Amino acid sequence: MPELVFFSGTMDCGKSTLALQIEHNRSARGLQGMIFTRDDRAGEGKLSSRLGLVTDAVEVADDLDVYAYVVDHLSQGGKVDYVIADEAQFLAPGQIDQLARIVDDLELDVYAFGITTDFRSKLFPGSQRLVELADRVEVLQVEALCWCGARATHNARTVNGEMVVEGAQVVVGDVDQAEDRIGYEVLCRRHHRRRMTSAGARAAALSPDVLPVAPA
Ligand SMILES: [Zn+2]
């Protein structure tokens, strides 16, 4: 039976690397994948991993019907044996429904990869819909570690070095050219709650009089 599988995790947990691995293994067996992504770090129409591997992909715009896109491709004589959707947290809930329809109506496996929660520890809408619809949710637990050594389960956003818990869910555009310098770091829940990034921990260690105080 074809399945909609959601591979979920934090940033840096190796999702895109696994997506590329699945693509490699299946294309080596002569299978043809259709790869969708959105806002990949390597630019439009690319699926890349931090390890430097990259492949071409279909960029998912707001108004793209991914089900209709696959049907069009098939009706023009194209071959699609399975579908990969990377950065699936950025897809609209309706587009996740379209992925489920690809599984049910076209009988293709769909492998979706996404970050579960944002920097406020709230579900991304695309990830929420995947949790609701997926046949299977696989939580990736590659060694993404907090600075303290505990397993990193949360994503933190920093603005000019300070951790923030408010702001737009997705920062669009070139972050380097933005007025504020935006960064991301994975943390354990304890240090996400205490807003203690690695830089904050280093600063606290250098001034032993100042104990880190957890916000209420
Ligand atoms: Zn920690």
Side-chain angles (χ1 to χ4, degrees):
M1 286 290 282
E3 284 187 308
L4 172 59
V5 187
F6 179 32
F7 294 93
S8 71
T10 58
M11 305 173 69
D12 294 339
C13 76
K15 289 181 305 301
S16 298
T17 304
L18 180 60
L20 286 162
Q21 183 76 50
I22 286 179
E23 155 71 8
H24 174 81
N25 291 353
R26 299 191 146 233
S27 63
R29 286 167 42 205
L31 297 172
Q32 182 71 49
M34 172 76 76
I35 305 176
F36 294 101
T37 190
R38 175 158 189 160
D39 298 337
D40 186 275
R41 65 184 79 84
E44 211 164 276
K46 297 284 176 198
L47 190 173
S48 72
S49 82
R50 274 172 210 283
L51 301 183
L53 301 167
V54 63
T55 190
D56 289 329
V58 177
E59 184 78 13
V60 178
D62 284 339
D63 57 355
L64 180 74
D65 182 331
V66 291
Y67 173 80
Y69 190 94
V70 173
V71 168
D72 275 359
H73 188 79
L74 290 168
S75 64
Q76 288 166 29
K79 185 168 168 333
V80 182
D81 296 309
Y82 63 98
V83 170
I84 287 174
D86 198 32
E87 308 290 354
Q89 74 276 3
F90 295 144
L91 270 56
Q95 289 169 325
I96 304 300
D97 283 73
Q98 292 156 15
L99 292 179
R101 200 174 163 202
I102 290 171
V103 177
D104 296 339
D105 294 2
L106 305 180
E107 301 191 338
L108 299 176
D109 283 317
V110 175
Y111 306 104
F113 298 82
I115 298 169
T116 320
T117 54
D118 67 13
F119 69 103
R120 303 164 304 181
S121 65
K122 302 285 187 190
L123 286 165
F124 282 98
S127 303
Q128 181 184 335
R129 196 65 186 134
L130 275 163
V131 168
E132 291 163 352
L133 291 184
D135 295 293
R136 208 148 50 84
V137 177
E138 300 278 343
V139 178
L140 296 184
Q141 306 197 341
V142 174
E143 300 292 295
L145 298 178
C146 180
W147 57 265
C148 72
R151 192 160 68 81
T153 50
H154 286 60
N155 300 297
R157 178 186 290 171
T158 57
V159 177
N160 300 321
E162 291 291 319
M163 182 173 158
V164 295
V165 290
E166 286 174 13
Q169 187 170 48
V170 180
V171 176
V172 190
D174 190 342
V175 288
D176 291 336
Q177 287 177 10
E179 212 164 284
D180 292 317
R181 198 162 40 80
I182 295 185
Y184 290 92
E185 180 173 344
V186 291
L187 298 173
C188 68
R189 186 190 57 231
R190 174 175 290 115
H191 288 123
H192 192 277
R193 285 188 51 239
R194 292 178 182 171
R195 302 189 195 177
M196 180 71 77
T197 62
S198 56
R202 272 197 304 275
L206 290 172
S207 47
D209 297 341
V210 185
L211 286 174
V213 178

